Coordinates of all heavy atoms in Angstrom, one line a residue:
M13 N 17.0 -5.6 3.4 CA 16.1 -6.0 4.4 C 14.6 -5.9 3.9 O 14.3 -5.0 3.3 CB 16.3 -5.1 5.6 CG 15.4 -5.5 6.8 SD 15.7 -4.5 8.3 CE 17.2 -5.4 8.9
K14 N 13.8 -6.9 4.2 CA 12.4 -7.0 3.9 C 11.6 -6.3 4.9 O 11.9 -6.3 6.1 CB 11.9 -8.4 3.7 CG 12.6 -9.1 2.5 CD 12.0 -8.6 1.3 CE 12.4 -9.5 0.1 NZ 11.7 -9.2 -1.1
V15 N 10.4 -5.7 4.5 CA 9.6 -5.0 5.4 C 9.1 -5.9 6.6 O 9.2 -5.5 7.7 CB 8.3 -4.5 4.7 CG1 7.3 -3.9 5.6 CG2 8.7 -3.4 3.7
K16 N 8.7 -7.1 6.3 CA 8.2 -8.0 7.3 C 9.3 -8.3 8.4 O 9.0 -8.6 9.5 CB 7.8 -9.3 6.7 CG 8.8 -10.2 6.1 CD 8.2 -11.4 5.4 CE 9.3 -12.1 4.6 NZ 8.7 -13.2 3.9
E17 N 10.6 -8.1 8.1 CA 11.6 -8.3 9.1 C 11.7 -7.1 10.1 O 12.3 -7.3 11.2 CB 13.0 -8.5 8.4 CG 13.0 -9.7 7.5 CD 14.2 -9.8 6.6 OE1 15.1 -8.9 6.7 OE2 14.3 -10.7 5.8
I18 N 11.2 -6.0 9.8 CA 11.3 -4.8 10.7 C 10.1 -4.4 11.4 O 10.1 -3.6 12.3 CB 11.9 -3.6 10.0 CG1 11.0 -3.2 8.8 CG2 13.3 -3.9 9.5 CD1 11.4 -1.9 8.2
L19 N 8.9 -5.1 11.1 CA 7.7 -4.8 11.7 C 7.6 -5.3 13.1 O 8.1 -6.4 13.4 CB 6.5 -5.3 10.9 CG 6.2 -4.6 9.6 CD1 5.1 -5.3 8.9 CD2 5.9 -3.2 9.8
K20 N 6.9 -4.7 14.0 CA 6.6 -5.2 15.3 C 5.4 -6.1 15.3 O 4.7 -6.1 14.3 CB 6.4 -4.0 16.3 CG 7.6 -3.1 16.3 CD 7.5 -2.2 17.5 CE 8.6 -1.2 17.5 NZ 9.8 -1.5 18.0
D21 N 5.2 -6.8 16.3 CA 4.1 -7.7 16.4 C 2.7 -7.1 16.3 O 1.7 -7.8 15.9 CB 4.1 -8.5 17.7 CG 5.3 -9.5 17.7 OD1 5.9 -9.8 16.7 OD2 5.8 -9.8 18.9
C22 N 2.6 -5.8 16.5 CA 1.3 -5.2 16.5 C 0.8 -4.8 15.1 O -0.2 -4.2 14.9 CB 1.2 -4.0 17.4 SG 2.4 -2.7 17.0
S23 N 1.7 -5.0 14.1 CA 1.4 -4.6 12.7 C 1.1 -5.9 11.9 O 1.8 -6.9 12.1 CB 2.5 -3.8 12.1 OG 2.6 -2.6 12.8
E24 N 0.3 -5.7 10.9 CA 0.0 -6.8 9.9 C 0.6 -6.5 8.6 O 0.4 -5.4 8.0 CB -1.5 -7.0 9.8 CG -1.8 -8.1 8.8 CD -3.3 -8.2 8.6 OE1 -4.1 -7.4 9.1 OE2 -3.7 -9.2 7.8
W25 N 1.4 -7.3 8.0 CA 2.1 -7.1 6.7 C 1.3 -7.9 5.7 O 1.1 -9.1 5.8 CB 3.5 -7.6 6.8 CG 4.2 -7.6 5.5 CD1 4.8 -8.7 4.9 CD2 4.4 -6.6 4.5 NE1 5.3 -8.4 3.7 CE2 5.1 -7.1 3.4 CE3 4.0 -5.2 4.5 CZ2 5.5 -6.3 2.3 CZ3 4.4 -4.4 3.4 CH2 5.1 -5.0 2.4
M26 N 0.8 -7.2 4.7 CA 0.1 -7.8 3.6 C 0.8 -7.5 2.3 O 0.6 -6.4 1.7 CB -1.3 -7.2 3.5 CG -2.1 -7.6 4.7 SD -3.8 -6.9 4.7 CE -3.4 -5.2 5.2
P27 N 1.7 -8.4 1.8 CA 2.5 -8.1 0.6 C 1.7 -8.1 -0.6 O 0.7 -8.9 -0.7 CB 3.6 -9.2 0.7 CG 3.0 -10.3 1.4 CD 2.1 -9.6 2.4
G28 N 2.1 -7.4 -1.6 CA 1.5 -7.4 -2.9 C 1.8 -8.7 -3.6 O 2.8 -9.5 -3.2
R29 N 1.1 -9.0 -4.7 CA 1.3 -10.3 -5.4 C 2.7 -10.5 -5.9 O 3.3 -11.6 -5.9 CB 0.3 -10.4 -6.5 CG -1.1 -10.6 -6.1 CD -2.0 -11.0 -7.3 NE -1.8 -10.2 -8.5 CZ -2.5 -9.0 -8.7 NH1 -3.4 -8.6 -7.9 NH2 -2.3 -8.4 -9.9
D30 N 3.4 -9.4 -6.3 CA 4.7 -9.5 -6.9 C 5.9 -9.2 -5.9 O 7.0 -9.1 -6.2 CB 4.9 -8.6 -8.1 CG 4.1 -9.0 -9.3 OD1 3.6 -10.2 -9.3 OD2 4.0 -8.3 -10.3
Y31 N 5.5 -9.1 -4.6 CA 6.5 -8.6 -3.6 C 7.7 -9.5 -3.5 O 8.8 -8.9 -3.4 CB 5.8 -8.5 -2.2 CG 6.8 -7.9 -1.2 CD1 7.1 -6.6 -1.2 CD2 7.4 -8.8 -0.3 CE1 7.9 -6.1 -0.2 CE2 8.3 -8.3 0.6 CZ 8.6 -6.9 0.7 OH 9.4 -6.5 1.6
D32 N 7.6 -10.8 -3.6 CA 8.7 -11.7 -3.4 C 9.7 -11.7 -4.6 O 10.8 -12.0 -4.5 CB 8.3 -13.1 -3.0 CG 7.8 -13.1 -1.6 OD1 8.2 -12.4 -0.7 OD2 6.9 -14.0 -1.3
T33 N 9.2 -11.4 -5.8 CA 10.0 -11.4 -7.0 C 10.4 -10.1 -7.5 O 11.4 -10.0 -8.3 CB 9.2 -12.2 -8.1 OG1 8.0 -11.6 -8.3 CG2 9.0 -13.7 -7.6
A34 N 9.6 -9.1 -7.2 CA 9.9 -7.7 -7.8 C 11.1 -7.1 -7.1 O 11.4 -7.3 -6.0 CB 8.7 -6.8 -7.6
K35 N 11.8 -6.3 -7.9 CA 13.0 -5.5 -7.4 C 12.8 -4.1 -7.8 O 13.6 -3.6 -8.7 CB 14.3 -6.2 -7.9 CG 14.5 -7.6 -7.4 CD 15.9 -8.0 -7.6 CE 16.2 -9.4 -7.3 NZ 15.7 -9.9 -6.0
P36 N 11.8 -3.4 -7.2 CA 11.6 -2.0 -7.7 C 12.7 -1.1 -7.4 O 13.5 -1.3 -6.4 CB 10.3 -1.6 -6.9 CG 10.4 -2.5 -5.7 CD 11.0 -3.8 -6.1
L37 N 12.9 0.0 -8.2 CA 13.9 1.0 -7.9 C 13.4 2.0 -6.9 O 14.3 2.6 -6.2 CB 14.3 1.7 -9.2 CG 15.0 0.8 -10.3 CD1 15.2 1.7 -11.5 CD2 16.3 0.3 -9.7
V38 N 12.1 2.2 -6.8 CA 11.6 3.2 -5.9 C 10.5 2.6 -5.0 O 9.7 1.8 -5.5 CB 11.0 4.4 -6.7 CG1 10.3 5.4 -5.8 CG2 12.1 5.1 -7.5
S39 N 10.5 2.9 -3.7 CA 9.5 2.5 -2.8 C 8.8 3.7 -2.4 O 9.4 4.7 -1.9 CB 10.0 1.8 -1.6 OG 10.6 0.5 -2.0
V40 N 7.4 3.8 -2.5 CA 6.6 4.9 -2.1 C 5.8 4.5 -0.9 O 5.1 3.5 -0.9 CB 5.7 5.4 -3.2 CG1 4.8 6.5 -2.7 CG2 6.4 5.7 -4.5
L41 N 6.0 5.2 0.2 CA 5.3 4.9 1.5 C 4.1 5.9 1.6 O 4.4 7.1 1.5 CB 6.2 5.0 2.7 CG 7.4 4.1 2.7 CD1 8.2 4.3 3.9 CD2 6.9 2.6 2.6
L42 N 2.9 5.4 1.7 CA 1.8 6.3 1.8 C 1.0 6.0 3.1 O 0.2 5.1 3.1 CB 0.9 6.2 0.6 CG -0.4 7.1 0.5 CD1 0.0 8.5 0.5 CD2 -1.1 6.7 -0.8
P43 N 1.2 6.8 4.2 CA 0.4 6.6 5.4 C -1.0 7.1 5.2 O -1.2 8.1 4.5 CB 1.2 7.3 6.4 CG 2.0 8.3 5.7 CD 2.2 7.8 4.3
T44 N -2.0 6.5 5.9 CA -3.4 7.0 5.8 C -4.1 6.6 7.1 O -3.8 5.7 7.8 CB -4.1 6.4 4.6 OG1 -5.4 7.0 4.5 CG2 -4.3 4.9 4.7
F45 N -5.1 7.4 7.4 CA -6.0 7.2 8.5 C -7.3 7.9 8.2 O -7.4 9.1 8.1 CB -5.4 7.7 9.9 CG -6.4 7.5 11.0 CD1 -6.7 6.2 11.5 CD2 -7.0 8.6 11.6 CE1 -7.5 6.0 12.5 CE2 -7.9 8.4 12.7 CZ -8.1 7.1 13.1
R46 N -8.3 7.0 8.0 CA -9.7 7.5 7.7 C -9.8 8.5 6.6 O -10.3 9.6 6.8 CB -10.3 8.0 9.0 CG -10.5 6.9 10.0 CD -11.3 7.2 11.2 NE -11.2 8.6 11.5 CZ -11.9 9.2 12.5 NH1 -12.7 8.5 13.2 NH2 -11.7 10.5 12.8
R47 N -9.3 8.2 5.4 CA -9.3 9.1 4.3 C -10.2 8.6 3.1 O -10.2 9.2 2.1 CB -7.9 9.5 3.8 CG -7.1 10.3 4.8 CD -7.7 11.7 4.8 NE -7.0 12.5 5.8 CZ -7.6 13.0 6.9 NH1 -8.9 12.7 7.1 NH2 -7.0 13.7 7.7
A48 N -10.8 7.4 3.3 CA -11.6 6.8 2.2 C -12.8 7.7 1.8 O -13.0 7.9 0.6 CB -12.1 5.4 2.6
K49 N -13.5 8.2 2.7 CA -14.8 8.9 2.4 C -14.5 10.2 1.7 O -15.2 10.7 0.9 CB -15.6 9.1 3.6 CG -16.2 7.8 4.1 CD -17.1 7.9 5.3 CE -17.7 6.6 5.6 NZ -18.6 6.6 6.8
S50 N -13.4 10.9 2.1 CA -13.1 12.2 1.5 C -12.6 12.1 0.1 O -12.6 13.0 -0.7 CB -12.0 12.9 2.3 OG -10.7 12.2 2.2
G51 N -12.1 10.9 -0.3 CA -11.6 10.7 -1.7 C -10.1 11.0 -1.8 O -9.5 10.7 -2.8
L52 N -9.6 11.6 -0.8 CA -8.1 12.0 -0.8 C -7.2 10.8 -1.0 O -6.2 10.8 -1.7 CB -7.8 12.8 0.4 CG -8.4 14.1 0.5 CD1 -8.1 14.8 1.9 CD2 -8.0 15.1 -0.6
F53 N -7.5 9.7 -0.2 CA -6.7 8.5 -0.3 C -6.7 7.9 -1.7 O -5.6 7.6 -2.2 CB -7.2 7.5 0.8 CG -6.5 6.2 0.8 CD1 -5.1 6.1 1.1 CD2 -7.1 5.1 0.3 CE1 -4.5 4.9 1.1 CE2 -6.4 3.8 0.3 CZ -5.1 3.8 0.7
E54 N -7.9 7.7 -2.2 CA -8.0 7.1 -3.6 C -7.2 8.0 -4.6 O -6.5 7.4 -5.5 CB -9.4 6.9 -4.0 CG -9.6 6.2 -5.3 CD -11.0 5.9 -5.6 OE1 -11.9 6.1 -4.8 OE2 -11.2 5.3 -6.7
T55 N -7.4 9.3 -4.5 CA -6.7 10.2 -5.4 C -5.2 10.0 -5.3 O -4.5 10.0 -6.3 CB -7.1 11.6 -5.1 OG1 -8.5 11.8 -5.3 CG2 -6.4 12.6 -6.0
A56 N -4.7 10.0 -4.1 CA -3.2 9.8 -3.9 C -2.7 8.5 -4.4 O -1.7 8.5 -5.1 CB -2.9 10.0 -2.4
V57 N -3.4 7.4 -4.1 CA -3.0 6.1 -4.6 C -3.0 6.1 -6.2 O -2.0 5.6 -6.8 CB -3.9 5.0 -4.1 CG1 -3.6 3.6 -4.8 CG2 -3.7 4.8 -2.6
R58 N -4.0 6.6 -6.8 CA -4.1 6.6 -8.2 C -3.0 7.4 -8.8 O -2.4 7.1 -9.9 CB -5.4 7.0 -8.7 CG -6.5 6.0 -8.5 CD -7.8 6.4 -9.2 NE -8.9 5.5 -8.7 CZ -9.1 4.3 -9.2 NH1 -8.2 3.8 -10.1 NH2 -10.1 3.5 -8.8
S59 N -2.7 8.5 -8.2 CA -1.6 9.4 -8.6 C -0.2 8.7 -8.7 O 0.5 8.8 -9.6 CB -1.5 10.6 -7.7 OG -0.4 11.4 -8.1
V60 N 0.0 7.9 -7.6 CA 1.3 7.1 -7.6 C 1.3 6.0 -8.7 O 2.2 5.9 -9.4 CB 1.5 6.5 -6.2 CG1 2.7 5.5 -6.2 CG2 1.7 7.6 -5.2
L61 N 0.2 5.3 -8.7 CA 0.1 4.1 -9.7 C 0.1 4.5 -11.1 O 0.5 3.8 -12.0 CB -1.1 3.2 -9.3 CG -1.0 2.6 -8.0 CD1 -2.3 1.8 -7.7 CD2 0.2 1.7 -7.8
N62 N -0.4 5.8 -11.4 CA -0.5 6.2 -12.8 C 0.8 7.0 -13.3 O 0.7 7.5 -14.4 CB -1.7 7.1 -13.0 CG -3.0 6.3 -12.9 OD1 -3.0 5.1 -13.1 ND2 -4.0 6.9 -12.4
Q63 N 1.8 6.9 -12.5 CA 3.1 7.6 -13.0 C 3.6 6.9 -14.2 O 3.4 5.7 -14.4 CB 4.1 7.5 -11.9 CG 3.8 8.3 -10.6 CD 3.7 9.8 -10.9 OE1 4.5 10.4 -11.5 NE2 2.5 10.4 -10.5
D64 N 4.3 7.7 -15.1 CA 5.0 7.1 -16.2 C 6.1 6.1 -15.8 O 6.3 5.1 -16.5 CB 5.6 8.2 -17.1 CG 4.5 9.0 -17.8 OD1 3.4 8.5 -18.0 OD2 4.8 10.1 -18.2
F65 N 6.7 6.4 -14.7 CA 7.8 5.5 -14.2 C 7.1 4.4 -13.5 O 6.3 4.5 -12.5 CB 8.6 6.3 -13.1 CG 9.7 5.5 -12.6 CD1 10.9 5.3 -13.3 CD2 9.6 4.9 -11.3 CE1 11.9 4.5 -12.8 CE2 10.7 4.2 -10.8 CZ 11.8 3.9 -11.5
R66 N 7.3 3.2 -14.0 CA 6.5 2.0 -13.5 C 7.3 1.1 -12.6 O 6.7 0.3 -11.9 CB 6.1 1.1 -14.7 CG 5.4 1.9 -15.8 CD 4.0 2.3 -15.4 NE 3.2 1.2 -15.1 CZ 2.0 1.3 -14.5 NH1 1.6 2.4 -14.1 NH2 1.3 0.2 -14.2
D67 N 8.6 1.3 -12.4 CA 9.4 0.4 -11.6 C 9.4 0.9 -10.1 O 10.4 1.3 -9.6 CB 10.8 0.4 -12.1 CG 11.6 -0.8 -11.6 OD1 11.0 -1.6 -10.9 OD2 12.8 -0.9 -11.9
L68 N 8.2 0.8 -9.5 CA 8.0 1.2 -8.2 C 7.1 0.2 -7.4 O 6.4 -0.6 -8.0 CB 7.5 2.6 -8.1 CG 6.1 2.9 -8.7 CD1 5.0 2.6 -7.8 CD2 6.0 4.4 -9.1
E69 N 7.2 0.3 -6.1 CA 6.2 -0.4 -5.2 C 5.6 0.7 -4.4 O 6.1 1.7 -4.0 CB 6.9 -1.4 -4.4 CG 7.8 -0.8 -3.3 CD 8.4 -1.9 -2.4 OE1 7.9 -3.0 -2.3 OE2 9.5 -1.6 -1.8
L70 N 4.3 0.5 -4.1 CA 3.5 1.4 -3.2 C 3.2 0.6 -1.9 O 2.5 -0.4 -2.0 CB 2.3 1.8 -3.9 CG 1.3 2.7 -3.1 CD1 2.0 3.9 -2.6 CD2 0.1 3.1 -3.9
I71 N 3.7 1.1 -0.8 CA 3.4 0.5 0.5 C 2.4 1.4 1.2 O 2.8 2.5 1.6 CB 4.7 0.2 1.3 CG1 5.6 -0.7 0.5 CG2 4.3 -0.4 2.6 CD1 6.9 -1.0 1.2
L72 N 1.2 0.9 1.4 CA 0.2 1.7 2.1 C 0.3 1.4 3.5 O 0.3 0.2 3.9 CB -1.2 1.4 1.5 CG -1.3 1.6 0.0 CD1 -2.7 1.0 -0.5 CD2 -1.2 3.1 -0.3
I73 N 0.3 2.4 4.4 CA 0.3 2.2 5.8 C -1.0 2.7 6.4 O -1.2 3.9 6.5 CB 1.6 2.9 6.4 CG1 2.8 2.5 5.7 CG2 1.7 2.7 7.9 CD1 4.0 3.4 5.9
D74 N -1.8 1.8 6.8 CA -3.1 2.1 7.4 C -3.1 2.0 8.9 O -2.8 1.0 9.4 CB -4.2 1.1 6.8 CG -5.6 1.4 7.3 OD1 -5.8 2.6 7.8 OD2 -6.4 0.5 7.2
D75 N -3.4 3.1 9.5 CA -3.4 3.2 11.0 C -4.7 2.8 11.5 O -5.4 3.6 12.3 CB -3.0 4.6 11.4 CG -2.5 4.6 12.9 OD1 -2.3 3.5 13.4 OD2 -2.4 5.7 13.4
A76 N -5.2 1.6 11.2 CA -6.5 1.0 11.7 C -7.7 1.8 11.4 O -8.6 2.1 12.2 CB -6.4 0.7 13.2
S77 N -7.8 2.3 10.1 CA -9.0 3.1 9.7 C -10.2 2.2 9.8 O -10.2 1.0 9.6 CB -8.8 3.5 8.2 OG -7.7 4.4 8.1
T78 N -11.3 2.9 10.0 CA -12.6 2.2 10.2 C -13.7 2.8 9.2 O -14.9 2.6 9.5 CB -13.1 2.4 11.6 OG1 -13.2 3.8 12.0 CG2 -12.2 1.7 12.6
D79 N -13.2 3.5 8.2 CA -14.2 4.1 7.3 C -14.2 3.6 5.9 O -14.7 4.2 5.0 CB -13.8 5.6 7.2 CG -12.5 5.8 6.5 OD1 -11.7 4.9 6.4 OD2 -12.2 6.9 6.0
G80 N -13.7 2.4 5.7 CA -13.7 1.8 4.4 C -12.4 1.8 3.7 O -12.2 1.4 2.6
T81 N -11.4 2.4 4.3 CA -10.1 2.5 3.8 C -9.5 1.1 3.5 O -8.9 0.9 2.5 CB -9.1 3.3 4.7 OG1 -9.6 4.6 4.9 CG2 -7.7 3.4 4.2
A82 N -9.7 0.2 4.4 CA -9.2 -1.2 4.2 C -9.8 -1.8 3.0 O -9.1 -2.6 2.3 CB -9.6 -2.1 5.4
D83 N -11.1 -1.6 2.7 CA -11.7 -2.1 1.4 C -11.0 -1.5 0.2 O -10.8 -2.2 -0.8 CB -13.2 -1.8 1.4 CG -14.0 -2.5 2.5 OD1 -13.5 -3.6 2.9 OD2 -15.0 -1.9 2.9
L84 N -10.7 -0.2 0.2 CA -10.0 0.4 -0.9 C -8.6 -0.2 -1.1 O -8.2 -0.4 -2.2 CB -9.9 1.9 -0.7 CG -11.0 2.8 -1.1 CD1 -10.8 4.2 -0.7 CD2 -11.2 2.7 -2.6
I85 N -7.9 -0.4 0.0 CA -6.6 -1.0 0.0 C -6.7 -2.4 -0.7 O -5.9 -2.7 -1.6 CB -6.0 -1.1 1.4 CG1 -5.6 0.3 1.9 CG2 -4.7 -2.0 1.4 CD1 -5.2 0.4 3.3
R86 N -7.6 -3.2 -0.2 CA -7.8 -4.6 -0.9 C -8.1 -4.4 -2.4 O -7.5 -5.2 -3.2 CB -8.9 -5.3 -0.2 CG -8.5 -6.0 1.1 CD -9.6 -6.9 1.7 NE -10.8 -6.2 2.1 CZ -10.9 -5.7 3.3 NH1 -9.9 -5.8 4.2 NH2 -12.0 -5.1 3.7
H87 N -8.9 -3.5 -2.7 CA -9.2 -3.2 -4.1 C -7.9 -2.9 -4.9 O -7.7 -3.5 -6.0 CB -10.2 -2.1 -4.3 CG -10.4 -1.6 -5.7 ND1 -11.0 -2.3 -6.7 CD2 -9.9 -0.5 -6.3 CE1 -11.0 -1.6 -7.8 NE2 -10.3 -0.5 -7.6
F88 N -7.1 -2.0 -4.4 CA -5.9 -1.6 -5.1 C -4.9 -2.8 -5.2 O -4.2 -3.0 -6.2 CB -5.3 -0.4 -4.5 CG -6.0 0.9 -4.9 CD1 -6.6 1.7 -3.9 CD2 -6.0 1.3 -6.2 CE1 -7.2 2.8 -4.3 CE2 -6.7 2.5 -6.6 CZ -7.3 3.2 -5.6
M89 N -4.9 -3.6 -4.1 CA -4.0 -4.8 -4.1 C -4.4 -5.8 -5.1 O -3.6 -6.5 -5.7 CB -3.9 -5.4 -2.7 CG -3.2 -4.5 -1.7 SD -3.1 -5.2 -0.1 CE -1.9 -6.5 -0.3
Q90 N -5.7 -5.9 -5.4 CA -6.2 -6.8 -6.4 C -5.9 -6.4 -7.8 O -5.6 -7.2 -8.7 CB -7.7 -7.0 -6.2 CG -8.1 -7.8 -5.0 CD -9.6 -7.9 -4.8 OE1 -10.4 -7.2 -5.5 NE2 -10.0 -8.7 -3.9
I91 N -6.0 -5.1 -8.1 CA -5.8 -4.6 -9.4 C -4.3 -4.3 -9.8 O -4.0 -4.2 -11.0 CB -6.7 -3.4 -9.8 CG1 -6.3 -2.2 -8.9 CG2 -8.1 -3.8 -9.6 CD1 -7.0 -0.9 -9.3
D92 N -3.5 -4.1 -8.8 CA -2.1 -3.8 -9.1 C -1.1 -4.6 -8.1 O -1.2 -4.4 -6.9 CB -1.9 -2.3 -8.9 CG -0.6 -1.8 -9.6 OD1 0.5 -2.5 -9.4 OD2 -0.6 -0.8 -10.3
P93 N -0.3 -5.4 -8.7 CA 0.6 -6.3 -7.9 C 1.7 -5.5 -7.2 O 2.4 -6.1 -6.3 CB 1.1 -7.3 -8.9 CG 1.1 -6.6 -10.2 CD -0.2 -5.7 -10.1
R94 N 1.9 -4.2 -7.5 CA 2.9 -3.4 -6.9 C 2.5 -2.9 -5.5 O 3.3 -2.3 -4.8 CB 3.3 -2.2 -7.8 CG 3.8 -2.7 -9.1 CD 4.0 -1.5 -10.0 NE 2.8 -0.8 -10.3 CZ 2.6 0.4 -10.9 NH1 3.7 1.1 -11.1 NH2 1.5 0.9 -11.1
V95 N 1.2 -3.0 -5.2 CA 0.7 -2.5 -3.9 C 0.7 -3.5 -2.8 O 0.3 -4.6 -2.9 CB -0.8 -2.0 -4.1 CG1 -1.4 -1.5 -2.8 CG2 -0.9 -1.0 -5.3
S96 N 1.3 -3.0 -1.7 CA 1.4 -3.8 -0.4 C 0.8 -2.9 0.7 O 0.6 -1.7 0.5 CB 2.9 -4.2 -0.1 OG 3.4 -5.0 -1.1
C97 N 0.6 -3.5 1.8 CA 0.0 -2.8 2.9 C 0.6 -3.2 4.3 O 0.8 -4.4 4.5 CB -1.5 -3.0 2.9 SG -2.4 -2.2 4.3
I98 N 0.8 -2.2 5.1 CA 1.0 -2.4 6.6 C -0.2 -1.9 7.3 O -0.6 -0.8 7.1 CB 2.3 -1.7 7.0 CG1 3.5 -2.2 6.3 CG2 2.5 -1.8 8.5 CD1 4.8 -1.4 6.5
R99 N -0.8 -2.7 8.1 CA -2.0 -2.3 8.9 C -1.6 -2.4 10.4 O -1.3 -3.4 10.9 CB -3.2 -3.1 8.6 CG -4.4 -2.7 9.3 CD -5.7 -3.3 8.6 NE -6.8 -3.1 9.5 CZ -7.6 -2.0 9.4 NH1 -7.3 -1.0 8.5 NH2 -8.7 -1.9 10.2
H100 N -1.8 -1.3 11.1 CA -1.6 -1.2 12.5 C -2.9 -1.5 13.2 O -3.9 -1.2 12.7 CB -1.1 0.2 12.9 CG 0.3 0.5 12.3 ND1 1.4 -0.2 12.6 CD2 0.6 1.5 11.5 CE1 2.4 0.4 11.9 NE2 2.0 1.4 11.2

């Protein structure tokens, strides 16, 4: 089952560039709410993406942050095709 099939109408699904063709062995879900300024969010994302194990997807779940988190998510989606986002 694909993520977009289980989301409710109040959420926006933004798949990564490789989402339709990739078949990762591991899915990492990382929820966030207003963590951009503290640096915690960026540190967590980089930690996942820099793992030696590369066959993964990172699905960021943003609960309508208003502090620049959405900009960071767009940045990570541009530099790494394994990153997708659900925004509430």
Side-chain angles (χ1 to χ4, degrees):
M13 178 175 282
K14 295 283 192 174
V15 172
K16 64 184 173 187
E17 296 169 3
I18 60 173
L19 289 179
K20 298 194 186 278
D21 292 337
C22 60
S23 298
E24 178 184 6
W25 171 238
M26 297 177 283
R29 291 190 314 268
D30 288 353
Y31 182 77
D32 287 330
T33 58
K35 298 193 184 315
L37 292 177
V38 174
S39 295
V40 178
L41 301 176
L42 180 61
T44 188
F45 178 67
R46 296 189 328 177
R47 292 289 176 245
K49 290 183 180 180
S50 70
L52 295 174
F53 176 68
E54 185 173 358
T55 300
V57 171
R58 289 189 187 281
S59 176
V60 172
L61 296 178
N62 290 333
Q63 296 295 311
D64 290 336
F65 182 77
R66 306 293 297 165
D67 196 5
L68 60 86
E69 68 177 337
L70 175 58
I71 300 175
L72 304 172
I73 305 167
D74 181 18
D75 198 11
S77 298
T78 57
D79 67 340
T81 299
D83 295 330
L84 273 174
I85 291 171
R86 279 191 291 276
H87 167 74
F88 283 116
M89 289 180 74
Q90 288 174 353
I91 63 172
D92 197 314
R94 300 175 296 166
V95 178
S96 297
C97 178
I98 298 171
R99 183 165 168 86
H100 299 297

